[in-house]
Amino acid sequence: MRKSKQVHAVLGRRLLAVLAPLLRRLVKRGELVLIDAAGNRMTFGTPQDSPRVTVRLHRLDLPLRLLINPSLTLGEAYMNGEWTIEEGTLRDFLFVVSSNLTALDEAPLARLRTKLGRLTHVLRPIRKAKAKANVAHHYDLSSGLYEMFLDEDWQYSCAYFGEDCDTLEDAQAAKRSHIAKKLLPQPGHRVLDIGCGWGGLAIELAQNCDAQVTGITLSKEQHRRAGDRAREQGVDDRAAFKLADYREIDEQFDRIVSVGMFEHVGAASFGTFFEAIKQNLAPRGIAVVHSIGRMEPPGGRDPWIDKYIFPDGYVPALSETLAAIERSGLWVTDIEILRLHYAETLRHWYERFQERRAAAHALYDERFCRMWEYYLAACEMMFRNGTLMVFQVQLAKERDAVPLTRDYLYSDPRKGHPHWADEALNERVESETVPLRVGECV
C-alpha cells in the first residue's frame, strides 16, 4: 500500500511538471497554488500577490488533459467537480489564469486547433435549421433561469455604464437609450429588430417614439415572452414579434437594429447578413449593429463555449466585419468600442446568479449550476484580461443620413430623458441631414 502511494505521488509529480511550464507563462498576476490528486503542491505567480488562489485537482491525469486541450478540459472538469477551489473564488482563479492568455495561443496544439476551427467556420455557412437549433440550445432554457440574473427588462447583452449608472438596471436603460440615439428614430418609423431577445428595446422604441417595430427571433421562449410583454404594456399594435430568420425578411424599414445577434451569424455568412440589411433598409435609413468583437485579427472559437454555451458562435474581428460591410456598399457612419462595459455587466450577472444559486439548483442540477457560473465568470475575465470587447457600428445607404457631428448623442444631459422626445433636437437632426451643396463648408 505504501509503495503504491509512492508510485502515485511520483506519477503525479511528473504529470504536474508537464503542465508547469504553461502555468508559469500564464500566471503573471496573483498567485496560484496547485495541489494534484497525489497531494503534490506547486506555486505559480508572485507569492503573496493578490488574488491568491488554491486549487485542488481530484484526478491524476488532469494535468495532462489540461495541457492537450486547456480550455475545454478546464471547463468540463470544473462542471464535473474534478477540480475545486480551496482558497479564493472562481472569479479569482479565472482572473489569475487569464492574466497572460497569449501563452495559450503560443502552444502548438492551440495554434493548430485555432487554424482548423477558423477554416471550418469560414467555409461552412450556418444554415437556417442549424441556426434555429443553436438558438434553442441557449435561449430556450427556462425563463426562470434568466429571471435570476438579468435586469428587470431582461437585457441579455452588454450594458452601458455611464457616470450616473449605479445599478445594472440603470446601465441597461442607458444602453437602450444610447443605441436608440444612434438610430435617430422618429414617430411612425418602421423599425426592424434583428435578434430582438425578450423585446425590451423594441417595446421601448414603440412606447417612446411611436415607431412601428417588428422584432424577429429564432427562440420560441423569447418570441412568446416578447409578445406577452408587448400586450401587457399596451403596445402590441406597435411592437410585433415574429419567429423568423433574418434571411427571410423582404420589406423596407426606416431603421434596422441588431443587438447581440451578429455573434451567431458565422463568418461565412457575414456578407449575407449585411446584404440583408442593405436590401431591407430604406434609402434614407439608418442601421446599428451591436456585437461582441475581438481586438485582434480573426481567429477560431473557444471549444468549451462552442460545446456547452453557444454552438457555432463566433466572435468577429472588426477587420472582417468592416470588410463585409465594404463589400455590401453600405456607409459606415460611426463606430464605437466598448471595452470594460461587458466585464462589469458579467460581474453583475455572476453576483446575481450566485445570490439565487439554490433556485437554479432546484431548477436544474449542480453540474448545470457549475457550468453557468463558469460561463459567466470566464466570459467576464475574457473582457477584463483577454482580447474581447464590444463594437457598435452605425450604417446607412447615404453618407448624409445622420448628422455631421456626434453632438446629437450627448445633447440632453437630463438622466433618463429620451432624446427622441426632444422636439428641438429632432428639428436639428432633420436640418443637419439635408445633402450639402457642392463647395459648402462643413
Side-chain angles (χ1 to χ4, degrees):
M1 176 69 79
R2 184 176 179 181
K3 186 174 182 180
S4 176
K5 287 185 178 180
Q6 290 176 339
V7 171
H8 198 66
V10 170
L11 180 59
R13 280 196 298 272
R14 290 180 178 176
L15 289 173
L16 198 57
V18 171
L19 184 62
L22 176 60
L23 288 175
R24 290 193 185 96
R25 294 197 302 272
L26 269 179
V27 181
K28 295 299 181 183
R29 286 184 289 178
E31 181 185 10
L32 172 63
V33 178
L34 199 62
I35 306 171
D36 73 2
N40 299 303
R41 178 186 296 254
M42 294 190 75
T43 300
F44 304 91
T46 306
Q48 284 75 51
D49 194 5
S50 180
R52 187 175 191 272
V53 186
T54 301
V55 171
R56 184 178 293 273
L57 310 182
H58 301 291
R59 288 181 58 100
L60 202 63
D61 64 343
L62 195 50
L64 183 59
R65 289 162 49 205
L66 284 167
L67 184 65
I68 294 172
N69 197 342
S71 177
L72 181 61
T73 301
L74 189 65
E76 284 186 334
Y78 183 77
M79 290 165 57
N80 297 330
E82 294 177 358
W83 62 269
T84 53
I85 298 173
E86 297 191 348
E87 180 183 3
T89 66
L90 176 61
R91 289 179 68 247
D92 291 337
F93 168 75
L94 290 169
F95 179 90
V96 169
V97 298
S98 66
S99 59
N100 184 30
L101 286 171
T102 55
L104 285 180
D105 300 332
E106 294 167 357
L109 285 176
R111 286 202 302 268
L112 178 61
R113 194 177 294 113
T114 297
K115 288 180 179 178
L116 291 175
R118 168 71 184 163
L119 184 62
T120 301
H121 206 61
V122 168
L123 296 178
R124 187 187 65 187
I126 300 174
R127 306 298 181 187
K128 292 179 183 179
K130 188 66 168 67
K132 188 174 182 180
N134 290 341
V135 166
H137 176 92
H138 190 88
Y139 296 98
D140 283 344
L141 294 170
S142 170
S143 295
L145 170 68
Y146 292 103
E147 195 169 20
M148 291 175 196
F149 68 94
L150 296 181
D151 66 298
E152 58 189 19
D153 194 51
W154 288 48
Q155 291 291 306
Y156 194 28
S157 57
C158 177
Y160 190 78
F161 287 87
E163 292 181 359
D164 297 329
C165 295
D166 299 321
T167 67
L168 180 62
E169 276 71 20
D170 289 342
Q172 290 292 12
K175 184 267 301 291
R176 294 194 305 274
S177 177
H178 194 59
I179 291 174
K181 287 179 180 180
K182 293 184 177 184
L183 286 170
L184 295 161
Q186 301 295 318
H189 270 171
R190 298 191 69 221
V191 181
L192 175 65
D193 186 351
I194 301 175
C196 62
W198 290 277
L201 178 60
I203 290 170
E204 182 161 324
L205 290 171
Q207 285 178 328
N208 294 324
C209 180
D210 197 23
Q212 294 291 327
V213 188
T214 299
I216 61 172
T217 177
L218 294 177
S219 165
K220 293 179 180 179
E221 281 293 312
Q222 289 183 339
H223 175 255
R224 178 189 61 78
R225 183 171 176 82
D228 289 345
R229 293 179 67 195
R231 284 187 290 274
E232 290 167 2
Q233 298 183 46
V235 294
D236 51 314
D237 60 330
R238 285 165 284 158
F241 300 94
K242 297 180 180 180
L243 276 172
D245 189 285
Y246 72 92
R247 290 163 285 195
E248 298 170 347
I249 304 300
D250 186 15
E251 301 178 51
Q252 288 284 286
F253 294 90
D254 301 291
R255 302 291 186 261
I256 297 178
V257 63
S258 179
V259 180
M261 180 271 176
F262 188 55
E263 304 91 318
H264 301 286
V265 168
S269 299
F270 284 177
T272 303
F273 180 80
F274 288 110
E275 187 61 32
I277 289 180
K278 181 182 180 182
Q279 292 301 318
N280 290 294
L281 191 63
R284 297 288 294 171
I286 300 169
V288 174
V289 176
H290 167 116
S291 173
I292 297 172
R294 65 179 87 214
M295 53 73 66
E296 59 184 354
R301 294 174 292 185
D302 180 271
W304 187 82
I305 292 289
D306 184 56
K307 183 175 180 179
Y308 291 99
I309 307 300
F310 296 114
D312 288 324
Y314 174 74
V315 176
L318 196 56
S319 57
E320 58 189 333
T321 303
L322 291 176
I325 294 171
E326 289 167 358
R327 290 192 294 270
S328 76
L330 289 165
W331 273 91
V332 175
T333 50
D334 191 79
I335 298 177
E336 184 174 7
I337 305 299
L338 308 182
R339 289 155 287 117
L340 287 168
H341 292 265
Y342 218 156
E344 287 303 301
T345 305
L346 285 153
R347 178 180 64 82
H348 278 277
W349 289 348
Y350 179 88
E351 291 172 352
R352 289 178 174 220
F353 181 77
Q354 291 302 328
E355 291 171 0
R356 300 165 178 83
R357 197 179 191 282
H361 190 278
L363 193 62
Y364 289 101
D365 57 23
E366 178 62 19
R367 187 172 187 268
F368 180 91
C369 288
R370 292 174 72 86
M371 177 189 76
W372 206 260
E373 66 191 7
Y374 184 87
Y375 148 59
L376 295 175
C379 287
E380 177 195 345
M381 295 311 157
M382 286 302 298
F383 282 96
R384 204 170 291 283
N385 292 331
T387 59
L388 296 189
M389 48 79 167
V390 169
F391 61 77
Q392 292 181 351
V393 180
Q394 185 190 60
L395 305 166
K397 282 186 173 180
E398 300 179 6
R399 74 189 73 202
D400 58 351
V402 299
L404 302 183
T405 72
R406 303 180 86 244
D407 293 347
Y408 67 97
L409 292 177
Y410 311 104
S411 62
D412 194 341
R414 287 171 291 174
K415 182 181 178 182
H417 179 69
H419 82 290
W420 52 80
D422 187 335
E423 294 182 4
L425 174 62
N426 289 337
E427 291 176 2
R428 189 159 68 252
V429 167
E430 291 297 323
S431 65
E432 288 182 1
T433 55
V434 174
L436 294 173
R437 294 187 296 273
V438 176
E440 184 174 357
C441 180
V442 178

